[in-house]
Amino acid sequence: MRLASRLGGAALSLVMVAVLGFFLFRVVPGDPVVSMTRGRPTTAAMQAELRAQFGLDRPLHEQFWGYFTSLLRGDLGTSFTFRRPVSDVILERLGPTLLLVGTSTVIAVGLGLWLGVLAAWRRDSAFDRTTTGVSLTLWAVPTFWLGMLLMMVTGDLFPSRGMRDTDTAPDFLSQALDVGHHLVLPSLTLVAVVCAEYLLVMRSSLLEEMHAPYLTTARAKGLRDDLVRRRHAVPNAVLPAITLVFLRFGLVVAGAITTETVFSWPGLGLLFYDALTGPDYFLLQGLLVVTAGAVVVMNLLAELLYGVLDPRVKVV
Amino acid sequence: MLELRNLSVHYGHKRVVDDVNLTLAPGQTLGLAGESGSGKSTVAMSVLRLLPRTARVEGEILLDGEDVATMSWGRLRAVRWAGASIVFQGAMHSLNPVQRVGDQIAEPMRLHGTRGSVRELLHRVELPPEKARAYPHELSGGQKQRVMIAMALACGPRLVIADEPTTALDVVVQAQVLAVLKRLVAEQDLGLMMISHDLSVLAETCDELAVMHRGELVERGRTREVIANPRHPHTAALTAAFPVIGDPAHRWAEPGRTAEPLLEVRDLTVDYGRTRAVDAVDLTVGRGEIVALVGQSGSGKTTLARTIMGLRKPSSGRVIFDGAEVPRSGKALKAFRRQVQLVLQDPASALNPRHTVRAAVAEGLRVHDVPGDEQSQVTAAVEHAELRPASLYLDSLPHELSGGQQQRVVIAGALVLQPRLLVADEPVASLDASVRGEIVALLLRLRRELGLASLIITHDLGLAWQIADRVAVMHQGKIVEQGSVEQVLLNPSHDYTRALLRAVPQV
Amino acid sequence: MSRFNRSGVAGAAILAVAALVAVIAPLVISADELDVTRVTAAPWQSPGAEFWLGTDHTGRSVALLVAQGAGTSLFVGLTAAVLAVGIGTLVGIVSGHFGGLVAGALLRVTDFFLVLPALVLAIALSTVLPRGLGTIVLAIGLTSWPSTARMVRAQTLTIEARPFVERARALGGGHVHVIGRHVLPSVVPLVLVNATLAVATAIVAESTLAFLGLGDPTRISWGAMLHQAQLHGAVPQRAWWFLLPPGVAIVVVVLAFTLVGRALEAVVTPKR
């Protein structure tokens, strides 16, 4: 029953994403074709043709129906700059982003939660003050600026543009090493910012649990402090932290956009940048729908995972 | 077995336990009584050195001749649970919410290398073995408390400390849990130190009684003697707070007179979704009459009260006040609410912490735009509630007042509108024992002087005996019995009333 | 506790200085010194006696640019935060106080926007709307209200579950009375804390939008400076004096808001 309502909720959210994507780019003041072709030599006839091509000359409800049904078929329209289906362009760029975001998230979650536990357990120690201070500072640092700084400081140590060099040997190992080499700076940037957030979340979650009466029970049983922490405090504190980690997945997405822009990492983030500089509304709309949809799905997974982990929540 | 010598505990400059001396022999049961803040729980926690680091402990805590305060950590850990264990208040998150209770019971056994089985322990506290696989939230309050007891016995300790083990439980469940505890203590010849604010619970379980007041041990002796002949005035106040049903000395209400009805509830039914919370209830409160509505939690008594107040819509039935049906919305409902006032259980939360006494008392006047001088009306109400002189209290914030004073402010906030009926939901349940009597006396005096009728909702049959003219017993949404106090409490006709009366701990 | 207070006071002091700079800079810096077409100094000068923080790619003083940029960053941060917190408070109280369909729908919408990456939406909004300061404020304000709404709703529900609200209802108090006398006063301190933290987030968001080239092209802001730095190759040229000052300014101001916010939070939330 609850599973059904969760799935229903996620489905509704996806529909809302689609509606949002449609209206965001249609209720804008001015003609999208005019602003997209601004600065390029175009005639009125060409603009009219474009309008017809993108269906902009039809009534709004027809446009929406067309958009929505194609969306269900996986058709996101045609990119204005690339002159190719948006879905193809997006699929092409998916891999690099998954690699960057995946690597960074895994490292950031592991490191952030672990350091957060240590900081909370030794509340007000030098370690806690340092990690909290560094995290708060990192939280204040714009991602892109951190990336630029890293790039400048490391100099030629790591490649700072793209994902692979053109002259690398074609065998798998050389290619993998090359990509790994390119991955260092962008992932370091993303990890630093996101990890700080996770650390603070985990720390405050564990601090909330520190005064829970069941910890006194555990101490009274004769458990050592580290066992009290490992067996009782952390399992309780990690659950809300996990939800927050997933809830802030949007943060990683946002970080990826600027990081990829700074390092010219050929993923969806860089594509976002290309789309907004165009501006290429159809590409932007497709990207918005895809990323927002992905976040909604991630969130659903988080809820399901939470239901499995926390006995108090019955999902199925 | 346990000996406390000159035990004092400080938090900063605050002395919470002051020079306490206590001994407990094996097989002995000792009750430690006191109000909140008396230091009784601090004493309990100091035995296993579980106080927070900010606490400074002086004196000796000898457990089998060994001083707990100077033990090494390793030795202390070995003594914890195996030498002495604690039954915490189970309902209050003392169990890990995400671990199966079986694992939690087994944990100290593995840790201390004790042999035994969870199944056997559960059997001893009269729980079926499959409950081992349950998580705490899947158990009722009484079941959780049994799990706590089973856990405390897991390593075969010789001393068990029970800290308010039945406080959040219903009378009937409380009686069952106490019975289990008593049986196990007798069977295994354990030493038991039981801590409670409730003298009747201690009287039911313990041979000896020690009373604490503001950190000091003021009285110690055989339970019966202490209760029968209290020497310290504080003990006397505590005993008075737990009236003995049937004892004329504890019956404070004046002999009743027959009165014409003020409030009539006719065939009232309230549903929460598919659950029927209140089921075809008939109830009458006469002018100037005090009626006690008694029942366990979940019996529907609170829902009934909310519905009478118009805070919840009934599914069917009528509420008639002063001959006219109570409207369900609009101006007329607002006017009705001037006549009927609500007094809630916990005065600390019934007052907005940001509002001064003046603002809290004047709130009703402002809501109803009552004409006249606010200052004098507020002062009069506050003084009626026996906060004299009013000027001393008007600009105080709730947290600057004691629990009893807070409840008087709530009552003053009701009196200021000159109501004709008070609906009081557990008006003394969260008050300290020594204040309780004063509030009961105040309610009776208001009836005498202002002719104020009351509907008192309570789980406490003793309170009903003390204050009410008539009693209505509610069970599973129905009124199963109602009549005069003497009739219902001394000659109950319904099985449920008899069960309730049996569960009341006997002093 | 005292540590929080101290860092809170330090944060407040930093903010006072930043505000002072933002107010004074436009008064004392002449337009000529910031006009690309009129500056005469050589571009890409490293810090020296004449230009403390060197010059940018057009020969303008980086120090003057940073001072001038303070106003934009603070203005956008404050107004966007006020907008977001205002919407959030309204939505939170309405969905917390009133039950029924409206509240359910509001909650649904709040949760929906809470999950979506705010920055992505802000980027989309500022791409489709005409460039300008108002667009940035709108884009940030309209996308960052959900967390406030969530928090205010939770606080409203907590307060409404308190017996004193039931007492107020029993006294005959209506919606206006309950919200005005009980809910709002207890929500305001939290909202204040939230607003302080929201300014911090908004300033970072502004710099990010400006960095992506979505800022107001006619105004100098710290994010816009970094956009120029990126565009004109400050990194490969190792022009650290062009890169560090605006970034450090952002970090210091954002950190100051965060510290003040956390100090306020420690004061507002009751200790257990």
Side-chain angles (χ1 to χ4, degrees):
Chain A
M1 189 58 208
R2 295 220 184 135
L3 181 67
S5 90
R6 288 270 153 83
L7 289 176
L12 186 61
S13 286
L14 288 175
V15 171
M16 282 163 80
V17 165
V19 173
L20 187 77
F22 179 80
F23 282 103
L24 197 58
F25 294 98
R26 290 216 177 30
V27 290
V28 296
D31 186 332
V33 167
V34 172
S35 51
M36 276 200 286
T37 53
R38 189 175 297 139
R40 284 167 230 184
T42 33
T43 62
M46 280 167 75
Q47 289 193 353
E49 194 195 330
L50 271 175
R51 244 174 238 126
Q53 190 186 332
F54 294 128
L56 291 174
D57 51 354
R58 286 180 292 156
L60 205 60
H61 67 271
E62 268 183 45
Q63 281 186 46
F64 179 75
W65 187 242
Y67 156 86
F68 194 71
T69 46
S70 357
L71 195 63
L72 288 180
R73 278 183 271 116
D75 177 3
L76 293 167
T78 309
S79 160
F80 181 73
T81 27
F82 292 88
R83 305 275 168 184
R84 289 171 53 207
V86 168
S87 48
D88 289 4
V89 181
I90 288 179
L91 270 181
E92 239 171 55
R93 300 288 196 95
L94 193 60
T97 293
L98 284 182
L99 180 64
L100 174 62
V101 168
T103 321
S104 314
T105 309
V106 169
I107 297 175
V109 169
L111 202 63
L113 298 190
W114 179 57
L115 292 176
V117 168
L118 292 184
W121 200 254
R122 301 182 206 158
R123 186 179 193 179
D124 288 335
S125 66
F127 177 80
D128 178 33
R129 284 169 197 221
T130 317
T131 47
T132 310
V134 169
S135 303
L136 283 178
T137 313
L138 277 177
W139 190 77
V141 171
T143 320
F144 62 89
W145 185 65
L146 184 68
M148 290 162 85
L149 273 190
L150 280 176
M151 212 193 271
M152 182 140 73
V153 170
T154 54
D156 298 326
L157 218 53
F158 297 101
S160 57
R161 299 189 64 79
M163 192 165 116
R164 52 167 72 92
D165 292 331
T166 42
D167 52 357
T168 310
D171 63 294
F172 177 76
L173 188 65
S174 317
Q175 285 285 339
L177 280 177
D178 189 34
V179 170
H181 200 205
H182 279 81
L183 187 61
V184 173
L185 286 186
S187 57
L188 195 59
T189 309
L190 211 47
V191 165
V193 176
V194 178
C195 178
E197 177 96 6
Y198 291 168
L199 188 153
L200 293 174
V201 165
M202 185 66 220
R203 178 179 178 272
S204 61
S205 176
L206 189 53
L207 283 182
E208 289 272 306
E209 290 293 323
M210 292 282 270
H211 300 283
Y214 65 83
L215 293 185
T216 310
T217 312
R219 277 194 198 97
K221 285 176 179 174
L223 258 66
R224 284 200 316 274
D225 269 10
D226 61 317
L227 284 181
V228 173
R229 172 179 60 187
R230 263 213 321 271
R231 282 198 203 152
H232 294 278
V234 172
N236 275 284
V238 93
L239 290 168
I242 285 181
T243 341
L244 280 171
V245 161
F246 274 93
L247 257 184
R248 293 182 193 202
F249 185 69
L251 193 96
V252 185
V253 172
I257 294 179
T258 48
T259 309
E260 290 189 6
T261 306
V262 170
F263 292 100
S264 304
W265 185 263
L268 292 178
L270 190 61
L271 194 60
F272 236 114
Y273 183 68
D274 293 341
L276 69 90
T277 42
D280 184 341
Y281 287 170
F282 291 94
L283 184 52
L284 206 50
Q285 174 182 287
L287 281 167
L288 183 75
V289 169
V290 167
T291 43
V295 170
V296 168
V297 171
M298 283 298 287
N299 204 48
L300 175 69
L301 289 180
E303 281 181 347
L304 297 182
L305 179 70
Y306 194 78
V308 174
L309 291 179
D310 191 338
R312 284 165 295 186
V313 183
K314 282 269 187 303
V315 180
V316 189
Chain B
M1 178 171 52
L2 173 68
E3 189 175 358
L4 306 179
R5 285 192 199 149
N6 309 103
L7 178 70
S8 294
V9 181
H10 297 253
Y11 284 106
H13 292 291
K14 205 169 165 222
R15 179 176 283 223
V16 286
V17 175
D18 192 0
D19 201 22
V20 166
N21 289 286
L22 264 184
T23 50
L24 183 66
Q28 202 181 11
T29 49
L30 170 69
L32 194 54
E35 303 184 334
S36 57
S38 63
K40 58 188 193 304
S41 284
T42 310
V43 168
M45 298 300 256
S46 69
V47 172
L48 286 183
R49 225 161 99 191
L50 288 167
L51 295 172
R53 281 186 197 144
T54 47
R56 213 170 69 242
V57 182
E58 286 161 13
E60 287 173 272
I61 305 157
L62 301 175
L63 203 58
D64 284 323
E66 211 179 336
D67 191 354
V68 175
T70 57
M71 275 181 194
S72 71
W73 278 107
R75 176 71 192 134
L76 179 67
R77 279 199 297 271
V79 167
R80 282 179 178 175
W81 224 254
S85 62
I86 305 186
V87 177
F88 293 99
Q89 204 175 318
M92 300 300 288
H93 306 292
S94 289
L95 292 166
N96 185 337
V98 301
Q99 221 177 53
R100 294 183 198 279
V101 294
D103 295 338
Q104 299 191 51
I105 296 173
E107 185 174 30
M109 290 156 66
R110 260 183 282 122
L111 196 74
H112 295 281
T114 322
R115 259 175 294 167
S117 79
V118 172
R119 207 189 159 83
E120 160 64 20
L121 284 165
L122 287 175
H123 177 70
R124 277 202 258 162
V125 295
E126 293 161 23
L127 280 178
E130 62 269 16
K131 289 291 178 201
R133 294 192 50 75
Y135 288 99
H137 71 276
E138 295 164 342
L139 302 176
S140 69
Q143 288 172 330
K144 275 189 270 194
Q145 201 57 59
R146 285 158 196 256
V147 168
M148 285 303 306
I149 295 173
M151 198 193 291
L153 297 177
C155 297
R158 294 178 53 223
L159 170 66
V160 172
I161 298 166
D163 190 0
E164 302 273 7
T166 58
T167 296
L169 304 178
D170 259 320
V171 217
V172 174
V173 182
Q174 166 174 297
Q176 292 163 351
V177 170
L178 287 179
V180 168
L181 200 59
K182 259 165 84 175
R183 177 170 59 73
L184 290 169
V185 166
E187 274 173 18
Q188 306 185 17
D189 204 25
L190 296 173
L192 174 72
M193 178 152 99
M194 185 144 137
I195 289 148
S196 180
H197 68 285
D198 188 337
L199 270 191
S200 56
V201 165
L202 297 179
E204 173 96 0
T205 334
C206 301
D207 307 328
E208 302 247 339
L209 193 62
V211 180
M212 283 189 75
H213 182 49
R214 294 186 185 160
E216 286 178 60
L217 198 65
V218 294
E219 192 154 358
R220 160 101 207 242
R222 305 287 304 167
T223 305
R224 273 179 198 294
E225 287 160 30
V226 172
I227 289 177
N229 302 305
R231 276 169 298 160
H232 193 275
H234 184 68
T235 317
L238 284 182
T239 46
F242 296 98
V244 179
I245 295 165
D247 182 347
H250 284 140
R251 178 127 175 82
W252 296 359
E254 301 85 355
R257 20 188 183 170
T258 46
E260 47 185 309
L262 177 67
L263 175 84
E264 291 168 86
V265 176
R266 293 284 164 262
D267 201 24
L268 195 74
T269 298
V270 185
D271 297 311
Y272 277 113
R274 256 176 265 168
T275 3
R276 181 146 289 190
V278 175
D279 193 355
V281 161
D282 288 300
L283 184 71
T284 307
V285 180
R287 290 173 201 274
E289 192 182 33
I290 297 183
V291 176
L293 180 63
V294 299
Q296 286 177 271
S297 60
S299 61
K301 59 188 195 302
T302 297
T303 308
L304 176 58
R306 300 288 186 277
T307 314
I308 291 173
M309 299 289 305
L311 290 168
R312 159 159 288 284
K313 287 206 186 351
S315 311
S316 66
R318 295 189 301 160
V319 179
I320 298 157
F321 185 77
D322 203 13
E325 186 155 348
V326 171
R328 300 218 173 132
S329 60
K331 282 218 175 77
L333 175 64
K334 197 169 164 181
F336 162 72
R337 282 180 178 164
R338 262 188 85 166
Q339 312 257 335
V340 183
Q341 287 296 312
L342 185 64
V343 173
L344 291 159
Q345 170 175 359
D346 179 12
S349 55
L351 294 171
N352 189 327
R354 292 160 201 278
H355 291 183
T356 59
V357 168
R358 184 196 309 276
V361 175
E363 187 168 4
L365 294 176
R366 293 176 189 167
V367 164
H368 291 280
D369 279 326
V370 175
D373 178 25
E374 186 181 289
Q375 172 76 18
S376 63
Q377 294 183 56
V378 168
T379 306
V382 168
E383 300 210 329
H384 259 309
E386 295 171 351
L387 288 172
R388 294 197 188 94
S391 56
L392 210 62
Y393 300 97
L394 284 181
D395 294 308
S396 310
L397 285 167
H399 70 88
E400 296 161 356
L401 304 176
S402 71
Q405 288 169 336
Q406 289 170 344
Q407 193 62 300
R408 289 170 197 277
V409 173
V410 173
I411 293 172
L415 290 181
V416 77
L417 287 172
Q418 302 178 336
R420 297 166 69 194
L421 174 67
L422 274 189
V423 176
D425 190 356
E426 303 279 9
V428 296
S430 67
L431 298 180
D432 274 331
S434 54
V435 192
R436 181 193 141 114
E438 298 170 19
I439 297 292
V440 171
L442 171 64
L443 289 174
L444 282 166
R445 201 175 56 75
L446 290 174
R447 183 258 288 266
R448 206 166 50 237
E449 290 176 7
L450 306 174
L452 188 59
S454 302
L455 176 63
I456 297 196
I457 295 144
T458 183
H459 70 284
D460 181 349
L461 295 172
L463 176 65
W465 173 256
Q466 220 169 1
I467 195 171
D469 303 315
R470 285 194 305 116
V471 179
V473 181
M474 200 161 176
H475 180 50
Q476 291 177 354
K478 290 196 169 95
I479 302 255
V480 294
E481 182 167 3
Q482 62 177 315
S484 77
V485 168
E486 288 82 2
Q487 185 190 329
V488 174
L489 296 185
L490 300 181
N491 294 306
S493 62
H494 194 275
D495 284 345
Y496 178 70
T497 317
R498 280 196 279 269
L500 267 186
L501 280 163
R502 258 201 312 279
V504 174
Q506 295 304 317
V507 175
Chain C
M1 188 64 210
S2 65
R3 184 162 63 90
F4 262 136
N5 279 343
R6 248 182 293 143
S7 50
V9 169
I14 293 171
L15 293 184
V17 173
L20 208 64
V21 169
V23 172
I24 293 177
L27 303 177
V28 296
I29 301 171
S30 73
D32 288 359
E33 290 173 283
L34 297 175
D35 191 333
V36 187
T37 55
R38 297 204 199 138
V39 285
T40 50
W44 300 113
Q45 282 186 60
S46 52
E50 193 186 352
F51 298 104
W52 295 350
L53 295 176
T55 59
D56 73 350
H57 61 289
T58 59
R60 291 179 296 179
S61 159
V62 171
L64 292 185
L65 286 171
V66 169
Q68 184 76 18
T72 318
S73 293
L74 287 179
F75 174 78
V76 172
L78 287 170
T79 43
V82 167
L83 180 64
V85 169
I87 299 175
T89 307
L90 188 69
V91 171
I93 288 185
V94 168
S95 71
H97 177 81
F98 299 98
L101 275 180
V102 179
L106 274 179
L107 181 63
R108 179 83 236 169
V109 171
T110 309
D111 279 352
F112 173 69
F113 279 104
L114 189 69
V115 168
L116 292 195
L119 188 71
V120 174
L121 287 184
I123 290 174
L125 263 180
S126 14
T127 312
V128 295
L129 295 174
R131 296 288 142 87
L133 217 52
T135 296
I136 303 251
V137 170
L138 266 185
I140 297 173
L142 287 182
T143 54
S144 45
W145 56 268
S147 59
T148 311
R150 231 12 234 263
M151 186 219 60
V152 169
R153 179 174 182 272
Q155 177 71 5
T156 306
L157 289 176
T158 314
I159 292 296
E160 301 236 341
R162 296 271 171 79
F164 61 76
V165 171
E166 183 169 41
R167 175 173 165 265
R169 287 219 175 92
L171 282 171
H175 295 305
V176 175
H177 176 82
V178 169
I179 292 180
R181 291 287 297 160
H182 295 284
V183 174
L184 257 186
S186 76
V187 162
V188 162
L190 278 180
V191 165
L192 218 65
V193 170
N194 210 256
T196 319
L197 297 173
V199 179
T201 328
I203 290 178
V204 175
E206 187 273 336
S207 75
T208 307
L209 291 180
F211 172 76
L212 294 173
L214 295 169
D216 185 337
T218 64
R219 264 170 221 276
I220 294 157
S221 85
W222 296 331
M225 287 177 71
L226 291 169
H227 175 60
Q228 298 295 334
Q230 165 87 350
L231 215 58
H232 296 97
V235 172
Q237 295 194 46
R238 299 285 172 101
W240 56 267
W241 61 89
F242 192 11
L243 200 60
L244 276 183
V248 169
I250 295 171
V251 173
V252 167
V253 169
V254 170
L255 193 58
F257 272 110
T258 313
L259 293 180
V260 171
R262 283 171 69 102
L264 283 179
E265 192 174 24
V267 174
V268 165
T269 32
K271 276 177 292 179
R272 37 178 107 234

